Amino acid sequence: MVSTSKIIRWGILGTGKIARDFAQGLKFLPDAQSLAVGSRTLSTAQEFSRQLNVPKAYGSYEDLVKDPEIDVVYIATPQIRHKQDSILCLEAGKAILCEKPFTINAQEAREVITLARQKQLFCMEAMWMRFMPLIQKVRELINSGEIGEVTTLTADFGYGVEFDPNNRFFDLKSGGGALLDRGIYPLSLAFFLFGFTDKIVSQATMGETSVDEQCAMVLSYSKGQIAMLSANLRATTSNEVIISGTHGQIRIHAPFYRPHQISITKFSPAPLFTAKSANSSVKQKIIYSLKQNKFVQRLYLEFGSYLKQPKKIVQPFEANGYNYEAAEVMRCLVSGEKESKIMPLDETLSIMETMDAIRRQWNLQYPQEF
């Protein structure tokens, strides 16, 4: 990790699993200090503080944001609280890193972003996947033309969760469902690699608690690319990504949101079946005849990919992976940047607008939206 040469003091809002994971990630950064944790109950904050060696514990979020020593607050509260907790921090003059989904909908995101810009405070959505070294590498490979002109992206994110109507995954009031919890990952990756989408077609399966238990989305783009994305709460899927281009294919191995391996398979840009000319040699005519044979064509289409040995790039991520997004926040704070170029606020807003549009196709609203 690159040193910022300045100690950045973090406050952590929330004490759940992701807050604990983030605090562990900060330990890998020599210029980061987990200074304080805030919870709605003091005893919970004190337990977190003791277990993770965080010096200060506050029994309310309001008390934490008043601490003058805190440089930036990581918001790890439930997603239905993201708007109010972000505003609480910004009004107190604190820079923020807010967990994804940034808010419940685009209107809430717009309010937070507007306030952050008015107050000239750093603000970023904590989409940790984008900062993983191999995700950055995939973007470099695509931009360099490694697989030619990119045409399609397929990505799915699914891990089966036992149904429990009281679990936040299945609770509509908590913003439950596959889209906000899991679909945001393939969506954010598609935005990161392809940019803003022109058209969306989607479908969802609604469960008995009225949340989307699985969903599928097809995004199309002005340059002709197509992204086919899916998310699932009830079944485990491949959790991989395939990006196809005119000259090759990139596979992001599972779990794609924090990968340690990618594979690149290159294809010849020349067409397989070429026309026979009058001046062709006997050998060329034989090869041409074989290529025109329907059985040979079928064999090639079925097994041709196995003849191409993929190039594997293995790069285990450091620590637990949360350190990468934290390092970007710290770099921005030291350099005086108010937004990250890797996860800009306009893109966060556009992703929220896209998820709103998808939900409208399903007639899905959260209770707080009525």
Side-chain angles (χ1 to χ4, degrees):
M1 288 294 178
V2 177
S3 173
T4 62
S5 74
K6 177 183 184 296
I7 299 298
I8 301 295
R9 297 161 298 185
W10 288 82
I12 299 175
L13 218 60
T15 56
K17 181 182 182 304
I18 199 164
R20 291 172 178 270
D21 289 342
F22 186 80
Q24 291 287 0
L26 286 180
K27 292 180 179 180
F28 187 75
L29 301 174
D31 303 325
Q33 180 189 13
S34 296
L35 180 66
V37 60
S39 175
R40 285 174 285 184
T41 58
L42 181 58
S43 59
T44 303
Q46 289 172 333
E47 181 182 6
F48 185 103
S49 171
R50 182 175 60 256
Q51 292 177 347
L52 292 159
N53 195 28
V54 177
K56 300 182 182 183
Y58 291 105
S60 75
Y61 301 152
E62 291 78 9
D63 287 344
L64 180 136
V65 301
K66 291 176 184 175
D67 188 328
E69 293 187 299
I70 292 173
D71 298 308
V72 57
V73 177
Y74 169 62
I75 299 171
T77 53
Q79 55 211 40
I80 56 170
R81 289 191 56 97
H82 285 180
K83 173 194 166 184
Q84 69 185 92
D85 293 335
S86 294
I87 290 175
L88 175 70
C89 294
L90 292 169
E91 291 287 7
K94 303 299 184 187
I96 60 171
L97 171 65
C98 182
E99 259 308 324
K100 76 285 166 208
F102 191 66
T103 52
I104 287 292
N105 56 39
Q107 179 54 40
E108 290 189 353
R110 198 173 288 111
E111 292 178 43
V112 174
I113 291 169
T114 297
L115 182 61
R117 287 172 171 168
Q118 286 175 348
K119 291 188 169 290
Q120 289 290 293
L121 291 168
F122 178 86
C123 177
M124 190 182 92
E125 180 182 9
M127 176 46 75
W128 68 318
M129 169 190 68
R130 289 195 177 201
F131 302 91
M132 294 291 170
L134 282 180
I135 296 296
Q136 294 285 318
K137 180 66 175 179
V138 167
R139 194 185 201 188
E140 291 173 11
L141 290 169
I142 289 173
N143 291 341
S144 69
E146 181 72 15
I147 59 171
E149 181 182 349
V150 175
T151 60
T152 58
L153 179 153
T154 61
D156 63 77
F157 188 174
Y159 288 102
V161 178
E162 185 177 353
F163 177 74
D164 178 356
N166 298 314
N167 186 302
R168 69 173 182 86
F169 288 128
F170 301 99
D171 181 14
L172 193 64
K173 297 190 300 295
S174 299
L179 178 64
L180 284 191
D181 189 79
R182 299 190 176 165
I184 191 170
Y185 280 92
L187 270 172
S188 187
L189 184 64
F191 269 81
F192 188 56
L193 299 178
F194 283 3
F196 296 88
T197 182
D198 291 333
K199 185 179 179 181
I200 311 155
V201 179
S202 67
Q203 185 63 53
T205 301
M206 299 301 177
E208 62 182 83
T209 58
S210 299
V211 304
D212 55 302
E213 293 189 354
Q214 65 174 343
C215 60
M217 302 149 278
V218 178
L219 282 61
S220 56
Y221 300 83
S222 59
K223 294 182 179 180
Q225 303 105 320
I226 293 177
M228 295 164 284
L229 319 172
S230 65
N232 203 311
L233 288 178
R234 302 304 302 275
T236 298
T237 61
S238 75
N239 297 298
E240 292 190 337
V241 172
I242 300 292
I243 304 154
S244 299
T246 53
H247 297 174
Q249 187 180 84
I250 297 173
R251 175 186 175 193
I252 308 177
H253 294 256
F256 76 86
Y257 54 87
R258 57 168 186 173
H260 70 276
Q261 179 176 320
I262 63 174
S263 298
I264 306 165
T265 303
K266 300 296 288 290
F267 303 130
S268 171
L272 173 62
F273 307 114
T274 57
K276 179 173 62 174
S277 71
N279 297 324
S280 298
S281 66
V282 173
K283 179 179 177 181
Q284 288 173 325
K285 289 177 181 179
I286 293 172
I287 292 173
Y288 174 79
S289 297
L290 285 172
K291 287 180 177 180
Q292 296 306 304
N293 184 283
K294 298 298 182 183
F295 179 69
V296 173
Q297 290 181 14
R298 194 159 56 248
L299 284 176
Y300 182 86
L301 291 174
E302 187 168 353
F303 299 107
S305 61
Y306 294 100
L307 303 176
K308 305 287 186 179
Q309 291 299 317
K311 173 186 175 183
K312 295 182 179 180
I313 300 177
V314 178
Q315 185 175 351
F317 49 84
E318 298 173 325
N320 63 3
Y322 287 92
N323 42 298
Y324 294 109
E325 64 178 356
E328 170 67 2
V329 173
M330 294 163 60
R331 185 197 65 77
C332 289
L333 291 175
V334 170
S335 65
E337 298 173 45
K338 305 306 179 187
E339 298 184 28
S340 166
K341 293 181 176 63
I342 299 173
M343 189 69 251
L345 292 175
D346 284 344
E347 202 162 312
T348 286
L349 179 58
S350 184
I351 291 169
M352 295 306 308
E353 290 172 339
T354 299
M355 291 197 291
D356 285 359
I358 290 169
R359 288 194 294 115
R360 282 195 295 272
Q361 294 181 1
W362 311 336
N363 295 315
L364 173 61
Q365 286 184 291
Y366 302 114
Q368 51 269 62
E369 294 179 308
F370 289 103

